[in-house]
Amino acid sequence: MADAKLKPKSVDGTEPHGAGNSPQETASTVEVMPPPDAIEPDPELTPEEAEQARKRYLLKRFWISARRYWGRGGDKFAWPLSIGLLAMICMNVGFQYGINLWNRGIFDAIERHDAGTVYFLSGVFVPLVLGTVAIVTIQVAVRMMIQRRWRSWLTTAVIARWLANGRYYQLNLIGGDHKNPEARISEDLRIATEAPVDFVAGVISAFLAASTFIVVLWTIGGALTLPIAGFTVTIPGFLVITAVLYAAITSTSMAVIGRYFVHVSEAKNQAEAEFRYTLTHVRENGESIALLGGEEEERNDLDKTFTNVLKQWALLARQHMRTTVVSHGSMLIAPVVPVLLCAPKFLEGSMTLGQVMQAASAFAIVQGAFGWLVDNYPRLADWNACARRIASLMMSLDGLERAEQSDSLGRIKHGETEGEAMLSLNDLSVSLDDGTAVVTETRVEIEPGERVLVSGESGSGKSTLVRAIAGLWPWGGGSVNFHADRRLFMLPQRPYIPSGTLRRAVAYPGAADSWPLDEIKSALDKVGLDYLNDKIEEDAPWDQTLSGGEKQRLAFARLLLHQPDIIVLDEATAALDEKSQDKMMQMVIDELPEVTILSVAHRVELEVFHSRKITLERREGGAKLVSDIDLIKRKRKRNLLSRVLEKRRSSPKGTTTSNEGGTVPK
């Protein structure tokens, strides 16, 4: 959760980020389209069949978003680059055919001892090679450009959906197959966009090559006549038939041997992602682990996850070993087969040496084209696994997006207050994504300049209420309303410290150069961090360097720079000692006397800095506000809760009157 949540305008008064027309935003506009309808599994399917159906849908879900790259709102260079790649493939096949003809000519000349033709063809070979190299080089450049631009377009679209409306945070609150989204977006999406381009280019190249050189084989080889048991058997196009049968045998063998490749590759990728996550978790929590002396326990956890990686790699290695037997064996046998088949015709004089070599070259090309699956099956399996992983993340985002557009679970509405109220909660209820109530029937109105303290025992829903106010928690009912054109700034218990300079950390979420250096130093002075002024331009790992108390002081320095109208403090002084806490709160009151404050805290010492206190009490069916008292007497419109509590004075059970001027039920 970030330190600041600005509504409805950003701190500089401009429109929120994303209103421009940068390439990234243009690329992500396609994802504004509604998410696909949810697909419910057929209840009559067995668990195995349901899992297979789910995997098939995951691939379909990936293509629903990925193919939009070539549609309206996609990359304007998508089709020109694709057509250019196709042209390069066709030209490359043409050069292959030219080299194939060259093979026939050079060997026929050698057989005839025709020195002039040999020298001439030797000279022709140079431009053929240079042309082939140039075409292949351009083909690689165009292919990789498509891959790079497609990945950029789809990554931008997924990240835009992931960051929208706090979904990156909400994913932690719901169930589903979306663990380690950062690995899915970085690594899995890279493979998911690179491999299809290679596959399509490979299939087209293989098809064109096979079509071209099958004609060559049919023309050169002709029919083969064999004497069998006193009869003569003629096999038309025997080289073509042999090439097709040979490729069918190798491809079938690969499919059978590598049938578990997809499952093993998917399990390996998941294990790798979990291992990376564990390493990242240790790095991000290094201080706490070191202070607790938890290195041994963390090592055991790392060993456990890494052991799983090695196990999955061993299973994948076995699959590679099996497929290597087929692919390598095919590579060794394929060049020999056509020579042996053409040998009888060459020995009887019906086929020249050049024709034999041309047939051998054409057979190898046809075999390579037909054997495309043999060479690419492992990578195809890897792509399958990666596409499913990124599709799983897309499906979880789909669910959140559908929930935003549906009232089936109830959504908390956000609007503007009426009159002068700075913040109002109207019949606000907060629930989990399954409908379980956390906070119910909350009605509060906060006037300009009020400083309201929200208290309650742990687990009563105070922090959840804060998330609902910030707009990060969507499930529930009622509404959260802010005064129009007022700026909200939130300080969580654990302030976010971005990478970069200390100056950037103080200015966040604004730009580092949005305030003069002297103003930033003055803010640090006022929160007691003046000893850091000499390091304000230093680029260091401040998130690891600063203590918890220093981070909270730095968050208060941000308040002085941004000067918001409404501040929400969620245990924002929990890491400070009582004296420092008092200094920070008094500093805010002195420097921002007109600001409206909503604080969530446990410490009773904070009451002196607030004008009003409301209490949450955990109950069955959801926490409720049970008291609303004035800590400082002031004239204000009394909210509904206060009026209800006052009416209960005359009830048989009675109430007691708070010496601060409010009413508290017995």
Side-chain angles (χ1 to χ4, degrees):
M1 181 175 174
D3 283 282
K5 184 79 174 181
L6 303 172
K7 295 181 180 179
K9 288 192 175 182
S10 59
V11 289
D12 57 1
T14 61
E15 292 301 316
H17 297 298
N21 292 316
S22 66
Q24 290 82 2
E25 289 159 352
T26 300
S28 63
T29 55
V30 65
E31 289 299 331
V32 175
M33 297 178 66
D37 294 334
I39 303 297
E40 297 295 334
D42 190 339
E44 296 182 359
L45 295 177
T46 64
E48 293 77 11
E49 292 173 338
E51 178 63 15
Q52 290 301 317
R54 185 187 75 88
K55 289 182 176 181
R56 287 193 297 271
Y57 177 75
L58 285 175
L59 293 181
K60 178 182 178 182
R61 177 62 189 90
F62 170 77
W63 284 115
I64 288 174
S65 290
R67 69 191 180 195
R68 293 176 185 167
Y69 173 73
W70 285 272
R72 294 184 61 185
D75 188 355
K76 62 182 179 180
F77 293 106
W79 279 109
L81 288 173
S82 301
I83 294 172
L85 179 60
L86 178 60
M88 292 300 105
I89 292 173
C90 293
M91 293 175 68
N92 185 33
V93 173
F95 272 93
Q96 283 182 313
Y97 180 67
I99 292 176
N100 183 259
L101 292 177
W102 182 89
N103 276 326
R104 176 175 177 173
I106 192 73
F107 282 102
D108 279 343
I110 291 174
E111 186 181 27
R112 297 193 307 266
H113 302 284
D114 186 350
T117 303
V118 171
Y119 293 143
F120 171 76
L121 290 176
S122 298
V124 171
F125 184 69
V126 175
L128 278 175
V129 171
L130 292 178
T132 301
V133 171
I135 292 299
V136 171
T137 302
I138 296 173
Q139 179 180 327
V140 170
V142 174
R143 173 175 55 79
M144 295 189 71
M145 187 178 295
I146 295 174
Q147 291 171 326
R148 185 178 70 251
R149 296 183 68 89
W150 190 18
R151 179 191 179 188
S152 173
W153 181 88
L154 189 55
T155 299
T156 303
V158 173
I159 289 178
R161 295 187 66 208
W162 182 52
L163 294 179
N165 301 327
R167 293 174 195 152
Y168 61 93
Y169 172 76
Q170 295 167 11
L171 285 176
N172 301 320
L173 309 176
I174 63 174
D177 181 18
H178 50 255
K179 292 188 297 182
N180 309 322
E182 64 283 354
R184 297 171 191 253
I185 294 174
S186 60
E187 184 65 14
D188 291 322
L189 199 148
R190 177 187 66 82
I191 296 173
T193 51
E194 285 183 359
V197 179
D198 289 337
F199 294 154
V200 171
V203 168
I204 294 175
S205 180
F207 174 77
L208 292 176
S211 301
T212 301
F213 290 98
I214 279 177
V215 175
V216 173
L217 288 177
W218 190 282
T219 303
I220 294 175
L224 178 64
T225 301
L226 298 175
I228 300 177
F231 298 95
T232 56
V233 178
T234 302
I235 306 175
F238 71 100
L239 289 178
V240 174
I241 295 174
T242 303
V244 172
L245 289 176
Y246 186 86
I249 293 171
T250 55
S251 298
T252 303
S253 300
M254 176 62 75
V256 173
I257 292 175
R259 62 186 181 277
Y260 299 116
F261 230 121
V262 173
H263 174 74
V264 173
S265 182
E266 190 172 10
K268 186 269 295 182
N269 288 345
Q270 180 64 32
E272 292 279 14
E274 291 177 357
F275 182 54
R276 285 195 301 271
Y277 174 78
T278 305
L279 290 171
T280 302
H281 187 71
V282 172
R283 177 179 60 80
E284 291 178 345
N285 297 275
E287 181 180 1
S288 299
I289 294 171
L291 291 174
L292 293 172
E295 291 85 357
E296 189 63 30
E297 180 63 24
E298 294 299 328
R299 182 183 180 87
N300 292 336
D301 191 28
L302 286 171
D303 287 344
K304 180 181 178 181
T305 54
F306 187 59
T307 298
N308 187 36
V309 171
L310 296 179
K311 176 184 176 182
Q312 299 303 326
W313 263 107
L315 294 174
L316 188 63
R318 294 175 190 172
Q319 292 294 324
H320 274 290
M321 291 168 61
R322 293 170 182 169
T323 55
T324 299
V325 172
V326 178
S327 61
H328 195 68
S330 174
M331 181 184 68
L332 294 175
I333 298 172
V336 179
V337 172
V339 175
L340 295 177
L341 291 175
C342 293
K345 284 198 166 191
F346 174 73
L347 294 176
E348 70 181 18
S350 60
M351 184 177 285
T352 65
L353 178 61
Q355 289 176 319
V356 172
M357 300 310 297
Q358 185 184 15
S361 174
F363 187 92
I365 294 174
V366 171
Q367 175 55 36
F370 280 136
W372 182 86
L373 177 63
V374 176
D375 298 329
N376 289 274
Y377 193 85
R379 195 175 177 205
L380 180 62
D382 196 29
W383 170 82
N384 217 319
C386 291
R388 287 173 180 170
R389 280 175 51 79
I390 191 65
S392 295
L393 175 61
M394 290 177 175
M395 285 183 63
S396 295
L397 294 174
D398 291 344
L400 289 174
E401 194 169 346
R402 279 192 293 267
E404 293 166 6
Q405 301 168 2
S406 172
D407 295 328
S408 57
L409 286 178
R411 304 286 297 184
I412 298 173
K413 298 179 181 179
H414 292 264
E416 296 181 359
T417 58
E418 298 179 358
E420 296 298 321
M422 294 294 286
L423 170 65
S424 66
L425 310 180
N426 296 333
D427 295 323
L428 179 65
S429 297
V430 184
S431 62
L432 302 180
D433 63 318
D434 60 1
T436 303
V438 178
V439 179
T440 61
E441 300 177 5
T442 305
R443 182 181 288 266
V444 174
E445 187 174 284
I446 300 176
E447 297 179 6
E450 276 196 299
R451 301 189 296 274
V452 180
L453 177 65
V454 180
S455 65
E457 62 182 338
S458 296
S460 59
K462 301 187 302 298
S463 294
T464 306
L465 182 63
V466 168
R467 297 185 184 105
I469 293 173
L472 293 178
W473 196 287
W475 305 290
S479 63
V480 177
N481 303 308
F482 295 92
H483 192 290
D485 300 324
R486 293 299 187 268
R487 296 166 299 172
L488 170 69
F489 203 97
M490 303 198 68
L491 267 67
Q493 183 175 354
R494 298 177 59 185
Y496 172 66
I497 307 298
S499 59
T501 64
L502 182 63
R503 180 174 183 174
R504 181 185 180 224
V506 180
Y508 192 85
D513 56 357
S514 297
W515 291 271
L517 191 60
D518 291 342
E519 195 170 342
I520 293 179
K521 289 183 177 180
S522 175
L524 290 176
D525 289 341
K526 291 176 181 178
V527 298
L529 296 177
D530 52 295
Y531 54 88
L532 294 176
N533 280 337
D534 294 338
K535 301 179 180 179
I536 200 166
E537 297 290 1
E538 184 176 327
D539 192 335
W542 295 109
D543 186 53
Q544 304 296 325
T545 304
L546 299 177
S547 67
E550 288 174 324
K551 291 178 183 178
Q552 291 193 337
R553 288 173 179 269
L554 186 146
F556 277 94
R558 291 172 179 169
L559 288 179
L560 301 181
L561 296 179
H562 290 281
Q563 297 189 352
D565 302 294
I566 309 171
I567 303 173
V568 178
L569 308 177
D570 183 11
E571 300 286 357
T573 60
L576 298 174
D577 59 86
E578 185 176 341
K579 183 177 180 180
S580 298
Q581 172 185 265
D582 293 348
K583 181 179 178 180
M584 291 300 101
M585 295 301 299
Q586 190 61 51
M587 182 270 299
V588 171
I589 294 173
D590 294 340
E591 296 291 330
L592 304 171
E594 301 299 324
V595 74
T596 302
I597 299 176
L598 178 65
S599 297
V600 173
H602 287 94
R603 294 179 176 178
V604 295
E605 296 85 1
L606 286 171
E607 291 185 6
V608 70
F609 299 104
H610 293 80
S611 58
R612 181 177 164 196
K613 177 182 177 181
I614 58 180
T615 304
L616 269 178
E617 182 177 283
R618 184 170 55 188
R619 295 182 177 181
E620 185 177 353
K624 292 186 178 182
L625 289 178
V626 295
S627 69
D628 185 352
I629 61 176
D630 286 334
L631 299 174
I632 299 176
K633 290 184 179 180
R634 55 183 289 146
K635 294 181 179 180
R636 63 179 177 85
K637 295 180 180 179
R638 308 184 69 184
N639 62 41
L640 178 62
L641 179 61
S642 296
R643 296 198 299 269
V644 171
L645 292 174
E646 185 175 356
K647 289 181 180 179
R648 293 173 58 186
R649 287 182 178 178
S650 59
S651 64
K653 294 182 180 180
T655 60
T656 59
T657 302
S658 168
N659 56 11
E660 288 90 349
T663 58
V664 184
K666 283 185 179 180

